[in-house]
Amino acid sequence: MSNLDHGKFTRMTTTFHSLLALDVFALFFTGYAIMFNDELWWLLELMGGNTGVAALHRLAGFGLIALIVFWITLMLISPTGRGNFREVIMTKEDITAMIQDFKFVLGRADERHPNARQFAGGTADEIPLLSYIGKGVVYIFSVELTLLAISGLLIWNKTGLAQYFQTKVAATAFVVFHGLLGVIMLMGVMFHIYEHGFHPAFYPVETKAFIPRSMIPEHHGDGEGTGIERLELSPTWHFASTVFGVLTVIGIVSVLLASIFDSGYPVPEALTVGGGPTSLLLTIGVNAGIFVLFTGLVLSMYGNVLRVRWEKQLRQRQGSTPATDGGNEPSDD
């Protein structure tokens, strides 16, 4: 093990992360089955047709609202929640790290700032829990999920929405906004899956996003260094990362193109450039994006399986700890 294995979050945060991921994947699968019903006809039929997928989408939407309300309440009333909130606030060091990173990219700085080296093998004392990039991801996802929930509620009853704003155009605008926001969020989630699932130090899954830091020791033996020098590159990483990198790019580009060519939703028919042509390549590309999302769902489930196995091993080790009265010797398992 190395410093890279140290836990990031509390048990509550890791549990919330898993529940939120599951709900967001459900929203994506149902939402895109509605949005791209030509390209994803099989997914639409698999979830019960138009009626079934719409019901599942609304159910997942209410689940998202419940999770958002729960998390905001936790942030306000819980000491741990308030501590987590303080962890994601941008600091002066984060701003300095961001500026130095820009200089580093432009060749005007010799190295990256320590606050930006989340994966660079520094010690736990040198590296913050979240770099400015990690905090930015939290901000972006928080805003997107909140806007998705609000716009989803507003378009839940299209007739009532049109009456409230007195115009059909206003109601349509919320529908378009909801769809386009979903497409934008899709890009972020796909990059998030690729970044954390196929990073060479964590492949195939970043376990510290699922295992609470209370269950992971902060010390891994004597000697200098962080332990990164003991990591070995998986023999399948290069092939897997290349394939899924290509699929991620193809999926994102195809979803963006399908959003333009599929008239009516989420882009209004008046703004489409192709009138919704049926394209085999576009269909393959959109399905490639869905495959990347499905892979993310599988990796999330695998991360939770690892957490359960980790907890079981800890219980076994604690049960085999020698007692003061001359109990059993500790097991090597």
Side-chain angles (χ1 to χ4, degrees), residues 118-174:
Q118 202 166 21
F119 299 139
T123 64
D125 294 333
E126 296 173 344
I127 299 176
L129 175 65
L130 288 174
S131 68
Y132 74 90
I133 299 175
K135 294 177 181 180
V137 171
V138 173
Y139 295 162
I140 293 172
F141 277 138
S142 298
V143 172
E144 287 180 336
L145 288 173
T146 302
L147 291 178
L148 275 176
I150 294 174
S151 59
L153 282 174
L154 289 174
I155 66 176
W156 180 26
N157 188 333
K158 296 182 179 62
T159 303
L161 180 64
Q163 291 176 350
Y164 181 77
F165 288 100
Q166 300 300 318
T167 62
K168 185 178 179 180
V169 175
T172 304
F174 276 101

Side-chain angles (χ1 to χ4, degrees), residues 14-312:
T14 53
T15 301
F16 177 81
H17 176 269
S18 297
L19 291 175
L20 182 63
L22 181 63
D23 190 80
V24 168
F25 281 126
L27 284 170
F28 278 156
F29 291 135
T30 54
Y32 292 125
I34 297 173
M35 184 183 300
F36 306 127
N37 53 78
D38 290 335
E39 292 84 2
L40 299 174
W41 59 268
W42 62 272
L43 187 60
L44 185 69
E45 293 298 324
L46 186 64
M47 291 186 289
N50 293 327
T51 303
V53 75
L56 290 174
H57 190 69
R58 293 190 185 100
L59 182 62
F62 285 122
L64 174 62
I65 294 173
L67 287 171
I68 291 175
V69 172
F70 167 78
W71 192 249
I72 292 176
T73 304
L74 185 67
M75 293 294 103
L76 294 175
I77 68 174
S78 166
T80 301
R82 291 193 293 269
N84 287 340
F85 181 78
R86 287 191 293 269
E87 289 284 358
V88 299
I89 296 177
M90 284 286 185
T91 64
K92 181 180 178 181
E93 288 76 13
D94 291 321
I95 303 300
T96 302
M98 182 170 57
I99 294 174
Q100 184 166 329
D101 265 6
F102 277 111
K103 291 182 178 179
F104 179 75
V105 171
L106 297 175
R108 301 180 60 183
D110 295 331
E111 60 181 9
R112 300 187 68 186
H113 193 278
N115 276 40
R117 299 177 186 172
Q118 202 166 21
F119 299 139
T123 64
D125 294 333
E126 296 173 344
I127 299 176
L129 175 65
L130 288 174
S131 68
Y132 74 90
I133 299 175
K135 294 177 181 180
V137 171
V138 173
Y139 295 162
I140 293 172
F141 277 138
S142 298
V143 172
E144 287 180 336
L145 288 173
T146 302
L147 291 178
L148 275 176
I150 294 174
S151 59
L153 282 174
L154 289 174
I155 66 176
W156 180 26
N157 188 333
K158 296 182 179 62
T159 303
L161 180 64
Q163 291 176 350
Y164 181 77
F165 288 100
Q166 300 300 318
T167 62
K168 185 178 179 180
V169 175
T172 304
F174 276 101
V175 175
V176 173
F177 175 78
H178 187 74
L180 290 178
L181 187 61
V183 171
I184 294 172
M185 189 171 180
L186 169 69
M187 294 187 291
V189 170
M190 291 177 71
F191 276 125
H192 190 70
I193 292 171
Y194 182 73
E195 175 190 5
H196 292 275
F198 295 92
H199 188 282
F202 304 128
Y203 171 79
V205 67
E206 186 179 358
T207 54
K208 61 183 179 179
F210 299 93
I211 301 177
R213 61 187 177 210
S214 61
M215 298 170 56
I216 302 179
E218 292 295 320
H219 180 68
H220 299 308
D222 299 328
E224 298 181 356
T226 63
I228 192 173
E229 67 278 357
R230 298 196 301 271
L231 294 178
E232 295 182 2
L233 188 64
S234 172
T236 61
W237 171 80
H238 187 273
F239 174 78
S241 62
T242 300
V243 170
F244 276 90
V246 171
L247 290 177
T248 300
V249 174
I250 291 176
I252 290 175
V253 172
S254 299
V255 167
L256 289 175
L257 290 176
S259 301
I260 297 174
F261 288 125
D262 285 356
S263 62
Y265 186 85
V267 179
E269 188 172 358
L271 298 180
T272 57
V273 298
T278 301
S279 170
L280 179 60
L281 289 178
L282 196 61
T283 299
I284 294 175
V286 172
N287 279 273
I290 293 298
F291 178 73
V292 173
L293 289 180
F294 179 75
T295 301
L297 175 61
V298 172
L299 291 178
S300 179
M301 296 171 63
Y302 178 60
N304 282 284
V305 170
L306 292 179
R307 175 184 56 80
V308 173
R309 292 177 58 187
W310 188 280
E311 290 179 336
K312 182 179 179 181

